[in-house]
Amino acid sequence: MAIPSPDLYYQLLPVHHVGIDPKRGVKIRGLHYDGAALDPYATFSRIGAGNTSAAT
């Protein structure tokens, strides 16, 4: 019996396409998740999150 690779588990997980909120992070099934791991995917800067003035 062949044991599948652990990477196969991640390939079989359902995909959730969500937006990233600057103040709350992502919302999946009613729960909010936020952290530095989202930074590469965000189109905003966390340093100025919630600040509406333009940075100079």
Side-chain angles (χ1 to χ4, degrees):
M1 174 186 249
I3 298 174
S5 166
D7 293 332
L8 180 62
Y9 175 77
Y10 294 107
Q11 294 175 9
L12 297 175
L13 287 174
V15 175
H16 294 275
H17 296 278
V18 296
I20 302 175
D21 184 271
K23 295 181 181 178
R24 296 184 180 176
V26 296
K27 183 177 181 181
I28 300 173
R29 295 185 179 187
L31 299 174
H32 291 275
Y33 300 92
D34 192 14
L38 296 175
D39 290 346
Y41 307 102
T43 57
F44 58 87
S45 169
R46 281 191 195 282
I47 295 170
N51 186 0
T52 57
S53 63
T56 54

